Amino acid sequence: MDVVNPATGAHVETYDEHDEDDVEKALGRSVQAFEDWRTRPVRDREQLLANAADVLRENKQEYAETMTREMGKPISQAIGEIEKCAWVCDHYAEHASAYLEADHHPSPPGSAVKTEHEPLGPVLAVMPWNFPFLQVFRFAAPYLTAGNVGILKHASNVPGCALAIEEVFEEAGYPDNVFQSLLIPSDLVDDLLTDSRVRAATLTGSGPAGRAVAANAGDQVKKTVLELGGSDPFVVLDDADISAAAETGAWARNLNGGQSCIAAKRFIVHTDVYDEFLNSLTDEIDALIVGDPIDEATDVGPQAREDLMETLHEQVSTSVDAGATLVSGGEPLDREGAFYPPTILTDVTEGCPVDTEETFGPVATVYEVADEEAAIAKANDTQFGLGASIWTQDRDRGERLASQIDAGCVYVNQLVKSDPRVPFGGVKDSGYGRELSEAGIKEFVNRKTVWVE
């Protein structure tokens, strides 16, 4: 696997791929590791996870720099990602025991009935490059602490991150092979999914990849959790705090170079405040600093790969040709690296690429709607359903409208984000199942009913 720095186009490093024989050996090691790991007290597993949080914090600069070199995340955001991984570990180190306690049920006199939560075995995780540490820890922290063992197939452009994560668990004191990273091409994933030793799978990625994993795992009757794409609406109502909405909206669209499933992508604005919001949003976005991701002052770095930038630009160009108005941006920057500027489109034609497809980069579409009913209709006019944000100074109004949006999570007067304390996941083409919180740790356990007479 060749790693190319997307900010410079320079070759960083080459990693040897694992082959079919390596996969076979890794599966054997996982099964062996599971037999011992499943019997470890939850308190012991919690302590090891707390150790992992310490390792992350102690090495956050090193891990962040690896992330920045491989996929271009601005260094300040990369450090923040490592700190969030540590927070996820802290959360489950503190709460896993309570989440996994047996549930007791009503039963006849003289009997006792409970549901225990037992681990399933080796879990395969197919993870993306955009949050190369956080996505993995959202899977690993709960599932390993529940007693499963993990096999990571990471994106091929972040192999250094994959190996660094494996090292985190080693340095934290985890037993050998409880967590393994496999540097394999995508065509070996099917072999893992169909192997009887892999008991469940989770994927964060594109819709086609999710469908393929779901189909293969379903054929083997294996549980899956899928977190797929999104085209999140950012609804600005007539009574919104426009300054706050524009400031947060600019960040919600351009964080991580816009390469986020839960980024604000479609700005749906009430006609009474449309001009004011568009002007404020444009000012906020124009003020963002695009540049070298290793510079702490940089807000927006490069796109993760040249081909991804080209795909994004094709979506923008085709949409402009179809009638959309380009307010700002819209052309790759004339410099080394895969840099695409923050871009705003208005007058978006129904059915054009930026209207119907997920734009995985710093491209915001802004729509004008007549009233809140039209805003909700437009928010729901998508095959995706990951997150949504509503802006209004009337909290009751925001809560009422949140119930009308088809999404896995809706935030009122806040950007959409993942938080280890609450469930995270989508509906419709954005996937199924939940990560994080109690719901996440219970996705890959056997909920065994035990009746004692």
Side-chain angles (χ1 to χ4, degrees):
M1 291 183 178
D2 290 316
V3 175
V4 174
N5 186 330
T8 64
H11 177 265
V12 175
E13 194 167 348
T14 297
Y15 293 83
D16 292 333
E17 287 187 348
H18 293 112
D19 58 21
E20 293 180 5
D21 185 54
D22 295 321
V23 170
E24 173 63 28
K25 290 176 180 176
L27 284 170
R29 292 192 298 265
S30 282
V31 171
Q32 274 192 316
F34 175 62
E35 291 308 312
D36 290 331
W37 182 243
R38 69 186 302 179
T39 65
R40 292 283 289 269
V42 176
R43 290 293 187 189
D44 287 357
R45 298 198 291 257
E46 287 176 327
Q47 181 57 60
L48 289 168
L49 191 60
N51 295 350
D54 292 339
V55 173
L56 285 162
R57 292 189 175 99
E58 290 165 4
N59 299 282
K60 64 182 179 182
Q61 186 69 34
E62 175 190 343
Y63 298 149
E65 290 175 0
T66 299
M67 205 184 308
T68 298
R69 281 194 304 272
E70 292 195 326
M71 53 74 60
K73 190 187 299 288
I75 190 66
S76 59
Q77 296 173 35
I79 291 171
E81 179 170 336
I82 300 301
E83 291 171 342
K84 190 166 185 178
C85 292
W87 179 30
V88 171
C89 292
D90 289 340
H91 178 80
Y92 284 106
E94 181 178 355
H95 298 291
S97 292
Y99 288 157
L100 295 170
E101 281 184 354
D103 298 325
H104 293 268
H105 309 288
S107 60
S111 64
V113 181
K114 62 182 178 179
T115 297
E116 296 179 339
H117 305 102
E118 298 180 347
L120 299 179
V123 176
L124 170 65
V126 182
M127 292 288 112
W129 48 261
N130 58 329
F131 290 91
F133 272 74
L134 180 58
Q135 298 284 9
V136 176
F137 277 90
R138 287 197 334 207
F139 127 76
Y143 299 158
L144 298 187
T145 311
N148 298 296
V149 297
I151 299 173
L152 170 65
K153 187 282 184 228
H154 218 326
S156 59
N157 60 330
V158 289
C161 292
L163 296 179
I165 293 167
E166 188 177 59
E167 291 171 2
V168 170
F169 291 107
E170 291 173 357
E171 291 187 27
Y174 277 71
D176 291 344
N177 306 313
V178 166
F179 181 93
Q180 298 180 80
S181 287
L182 287 176
L183 304 185
I184 58 174
S186 297
D187 57 10
L188 290 186
V189 172
D190 287 350
D191 293 339
L192 281 164
L193 282 171
T194 56
D195 193 292
S196 61
R197 290 167 290 185
V198 172
R199 299 309 310 146
T202 180
L203 175 139
T204 298
S206 68
R211 288 185 176 88
V213 166
N216 288 328
D219 188 58
Q220 303 295 316
V221 197
K222 292 180 184 177
K223 178 74 178 289
T224 52
V225 169
L226 304 180
E227 195 265 277
L228 308 178
S231 188
D232 286 9
F234 189 100
V235 178
V236 182
L237 298 174
D238 53 329
D239 62 347
D241 181 332
I242 299 303
S243 176
E247 181 180 1
T248 301
W251 188 242
R253 172 63 276 200
N254 292 285
L255 178 70
N256 198 35
Q259 300 164 122
S260 171
C261 295
I262 54 171
K265 292 172 181 148
R266 297 177 298 131
F267 291 81
I268 300 166
V269 187
H270 193 288
T271 188
D272 290 352
V273 294
Y274 177 82
D275 289 337
E276 181 185 359
F277 176 79
L278 178 60
N279 290 335
S280 296
L281 181 68
T282 302
D283 289 344
E284 293 286 348
I285 286 179
D286 286 347
L288 295 173
I289 298 172
V290 181
D292 183 355
I294 206 67
D295 186 339
E296 292 186 358
T298 294
D299 297 311
V300 181
Q303 301 299 279
R305 298 195 313 260
E306 186 81 22
D307 63 304
L308 297 172
M309 183 187 72
E310 292 170 355
T311 297
L312 180 70
H313 184 52
E314 177 66 23
Q315 290 176 303
V316 171
S317 298
T318 302
S319 299
V320 170
D321 290 344
T325 299
L326 189 64
V327 176
S328 63
E331 289 287 342
L333 297 183
D334 184 16
R335 58 177 294 174
E336 291 293 329
F339 286 90
Y340 202 82
T343 297
I344 300 175
L345 294 169
T346 60
D347 306 316
V348 175
T349 306
E350 185 175 350
C352 73
V354 300
D355 181 56
T356 60
E357 300 171 6
E358 179 179 26
T359 50
F360 214 65
V363 175
T365 54
V366 187
Y367 299 84
E368 182 176 359
V369 292
D371 50 39
E372 68 177 40
E373 289 78 13
I376 297 303
K378 185 60 184 176
N380 290 333
D381 184 23
T382 174
Q383 73 266 38
F384 298 106
L386 193 53
S389 184
I390 299 174
W391 289 78
T392 171
Q393 295 189 74
D394 184 339
R395 290 163 59 97
D396 292 337
R397 183 188 192 190
E399 188 171 0
R400 171 175 57 82
L401 294 179
S403 67
Q404 299 177 33
I405 291 184
D406 299 328
C409 55
V410 181
Y411 284 75
V412 179
N413 299 325
Q414 180 60 273
L415 58 81
V416 178
K417 55 189 175 182
S418 66
D419 183 310
R421 297 167 294 189
V422 297
F424 179 84
V427 296
K428 300 194 289 187
D429 283 4
S430 291
Y432 54 74
R434 290 296 178 265
E435 297 176 310
L436 302 176
S437 75
E438 181 174 1
I441 201 171
K442 288 182 175 177
E443 283 285 4
F444 291 147
V445 296
N446 173 22
R447 303 186 186 199
K448 179 191 286 184
T449 297
V450 178
W451 184 300
V452 181
E453 192 68 37

